[in-house]
Amino acid sequence: MSSRDPDVDKRRLVGVHPERVTNVSSTDFPGHYPDEDHSWDLAKFNKTLQVRVQRLSNRSIEFDLVGVDASIANAYRRVMIAEVPTVCIEHVYVWNNTSVIVDEVLAQRIGLVPLNIDPSLVSMKENANDQATDRNTLVFLLKLACERNPHAPKGSTDPDQLYINHELRSSHLVWKPAGEQAEVFAHNPPAPTNPNIVLAKLRPGQVIDMELHAVKGVGKDHAKFSPVATASYRLLPHIKIKKPIPRHLAEKFQSCFSPGVIKIDPKTKAVSVDERNVRKDTVSREVLRYPEFVDCVELSRVRDFFIFNVESEGPYVPERILLEANAVLRDKIARIRKAAIALRDGQDEDVAMANNS
């Protein structure tokens, strides 16, 4: 049965009432109910599982994940945030810094600059003390000196006219290839994804000279390694009109929901739910504030219909982040399976559970 069907199975719905939310608890075995056969069936799971892209841009994606429990959806969300690897600047060697920003603050700002480096081309260090090589470390140079502009217009107060190199920007990071890196990254030379990030402002005589080392890491170690700006989901709203809305109250009823959710027939003034735009509703419960509508509508959310919104802020195009998260989850499952088999067979060896992709 479609999640958009007004007669959707009530067990799939989380009830939304004026003062409370009902049917929120999951079971120990999600999707299983007493006296019913819910044994695992791959064909049935494939039929109910759906992933649909609703919106895609250069930096964000909205997609639907349907037919899974909240634990699975949340696992994807957490992995996208904290365990999909990226490459960021980790070590900053300051040779000279006469700006007003202290070394530690400037180093932290530089570390937060997202880079366009494909993590699959870089090896992850097993520990922080590993030797830096051309396989696990990329080097950037950052040099800038501010000077007065000898040709500045008289009486000008605009720093762009008065000074040369008065802003330290992410575009000033210069990649220094080592070993085979020039060949490996020939198609996409390492650089910040946004060249216009202002890192510091300088005045004549101030100099910055640094060497930066970028390594591969994951967001659970430091937020700078997270490939997303946001990764969130919400449940699909479900609105059921239980009885006809009086003609003179049609527009008032419509105004209780987000724009586009409720349709009014221009001739008959009949009120209906736009099943395509119902996802836009915020389920504010505004309609339940009015006594005349309390018995006319039923609000809920579909518990296994997740609307994901993911914003990419790194080397990945938005549509790739879910695939990378899926690869991380598959690796985790393989490790757990290996550990379970070792436990079953009575093996004493430990199975490494860390993800060193």
Side-chain angles (χ1 to χ4, degrees), residues 13-248:
L13 299 179
V14 176
V16 180
H17 305 280
E19 302 293 341
R20 69 190 193 282
V21 179
T22 59
N23 197 26
V24 296
S25 299
S26 183
T27 61
D28 290 339
F29 303 95
H32 291 69
Y33 302 95
D35 303 322
E36 298 181 16
D37 181 13
H38 293 285
S39 55
W40 171 253
D41 187 334
L42 181 60
K44 182 179 178 181
F45 178 74
N46 287 337
K47 185 178 179 180
T48 57
L49 177 66
Q50 300 178 46
V51 180
R52 295 191 295 265
V53 176
Q54 299 293 339
R55 177 182 54 79
L56 178 64
S57 67
N58 291 336
R59 282 297 174 193
S60 66
I61 184 174
E62 182 180 300
F63 64 89
D64 300 337
L65 178 61
V66 187
V68 299
D69 185 64
S71 59
I72 303 299
N74 197 47
Y76 275 108
R77 182 190 68 85
R78 290 173 62 97
V79 168
M80 283 190 283
I81 293 173
E83 297 191 56
V84 172
T86 63
V87 177
C88 290
I89 292 168
E90 176 74 358
H91 303 289
V92 177
Y93 300 93
V94 182
W95 309 131
N96 192 10
N97 175 23
T98 57
S99 71
V100 296
I101 304 179
V102 297
D103 297 349
E104 294 83 354
V105 175
L106 184 55
Q108 196 241 10
R109 287 188 181 183
I110 294 171
L112 294 174
V113 173
L115 304 175
N116 66 350
I117 303 167
D118 187 346
S120 64
L121 302 177
V122 182
S123 301
M124 184 178 290
K125 290 184 176 182
E126 293 186 5
N127 61 71
N129 296 323
D130 283 358
Q131 179 68 34
T133 69
D134 62 331
R135 300 296 179 89
N136 60 28
T137 303
L138 288 92
V139 177
F140 292 84
L141 301 179
L142 185 58
K143 295 182 180 181
L144 195 68
C146 181
E147 302 173 354
R148 291 190 182 275
N149 182 4
H151 306 293
K154 185 177 180 180
S156 175
T157 59
D158 184 358
D160 290 331
Q161 297 178 348
L162 292 174
Y163 313 120
I164 299 174
N165 295 332
H166 72 98
E167 284 186 340
L168 177 69
R169 294 177 177 266
S170 52
S171 59
H172 291 118
L173 273 70
V174 178
W175 172 51
K176 181 182 178 182
E180 300 176 350
Q181 290 179 351
E183 298 176 7
V184 174
F185 297 100
H187 65 291
N188 186 26
T193 57
N194 183 350
N196 297 317
I197 301 174
V198 178
L199 302 173
K201 293 191 176 183
L202 308 179
R203 287 299 179 261
Q206 294 180 345
V207 177
I208 289 178
D209 185 3
M210 297 179 173
E211 182 176 309
L212 320 172
H213 289 193
V215 300
K216 186 176 180 179
V218 292
K220 64 183 180 182
D221 292 333
H222 194 288
K224 67 184 177 184
F225 289 109
S226 179
V228 298
T230 60
S232 62
Y233 64 77
R234 57 190 178 91
L235 298 179
L236 177 74
H238 184 267
I239 303 170
K240 181 179 180 181
I241 298 178
K242 299 166 65 176
K243 62 182 182 180
I245 306 299
R247 291 168 57 95
H248 67 285

Side-chain angles (χ1 to χ4, degrees), residues 274-347:
D274 189 329
E275 298 300 335
R276 181 175 295 276
N277 290 327
V278 70
R279 63 191 299 115
K280 297 179 180 179
D281 193 49
T282 59
V283 194
S284 65
R285 295 184 274 197
E286 175 71 12
V287 68
L288 302 181
R289 294 178 60 238
Y290 301 102
E292 58 267 35
F293 297 142
V294 170
D295 298 325
C296 297
V297 64
E298 184 179 280
L299 304 180
S300 56
R301 289 184 181 270
V302 184
R303 69 166 64 249
D304 63 350
F305 195 119
F306 301 90
I307 302 173
F308 273 81
N309 191 288
V310 179
E311 297 180 14
S312 173
E313 195 56 55
Y316 300 108
V317 290
E319 60 268 31
R320 183 180 165 190
I321 294 178
L322 178 63
L323 301 179
E324 294 292 332
N326 193 66
V328 173
L329 278 175
R330 287 173 64 92
D331 181 67
K332 287 178 176 288
I333 293 170
R335 291 171 185 271
I336 293 174
R337 183 174 184 271
K338 184 177 179 181
I341 292 175
L343 183 64
R344 182 197 64 186
D345 297 340
Q347 301 176 10

